[in-house]
Amino acid sequence: MTKETLAHFLLQSLPFFERMRESGLPFMSRFPLSSCEPSSAIVAVALAKRFPESEIVVVKAYSSNGVSGHFWVEIDGFVVDATAHQFDGFSGPIVQKMPSPLESTFPFMHRMSIEAAMLGMSEIDYSPGLVKMLGSELLEEVESRTRVAG
């Protein structure tokens, strides 16, 4: 796994998420704002399908006062954050070696399996089946873009 491979994947994912603004799904209408939980779960599912041998977790992180939070994906020692650009100081999504640059803002972290992240999504009206379907659609779109570009 390389940073370049993941960065390419994430770059090719952006049009999918930008279209999700019109989907009517909760928390996606203002992507990247307030959409880190569903975006991270969908990215994690797509990455797991694309890289089945990789170790992937979804990180749920909180600020020191516990008021605000953020989600991102960790895969094989890299941070993949599709919505980092909702925060000051970031012009786009990030892919970099761990740790996340947002750990100083959100120092209390819980790492969970993709399955646990999908189950947690039911609290915001996303069934695990819907997250899996969206992850599959994202992967199909990224692979299609890659084939056309190649």
Side-chain angles (χ1 to χ4, degrees), residues 45-62:
V45 167
L47 288 172
K49 288 178 176 288
R50 175 66 180 91
F51 306 106
E53 302 301 317
S54 291
E55 183 178 330
I56 302 171
V57 296
V58 177
V59 178
K60 182 179 186 178
Y62 293 96

Side-chain angles (χ1 to χ4, degrees), residues 29-119:
S29 65
R30 296 176 53 220
F31 177 86
L33 299 173
S34 302
S35 60
C36 57
E37 184 174 8
S39 299
S40 294
I42 293 165
V43 165
V45 167
L47 288 172
K49 288 178 176 288
R50 175 66 180 91
F51 306 106
E53 302 301 317
S54 291
E55 183 178 330
I56 302 171
V57 296
V58 177
V59 178
K60 182 179 186 178
Y62 293 96
S63 60
S64 296
N65 62 10
V67 173
S68 58
H70 186 53
F71 289 78
W72 63 80
V73 177
E74 293 177 348
I75 174 171
D76 296 341
F78 290 96
V79 172
V80 177
D81 190 334
T83 64
H85 50 307
Q86 69 182 299
F87 300 107
D88 290 340
F90 297 94
S91 60
I94 58 171
V95 174
Q96 71 170 56
K97 283 282 204 183
M98 293 171 56
S100 169
L102 289 165
E103 285 187 24
S104 59
T105 305
F106 303 102
F108 299 104
M109 293 170 282
H110 171 67
R111 287 174 172 84
M112 64 187 118
S113 68
I114 296 170
E115 292 75 20
M118 287 190 306
L119 288 174

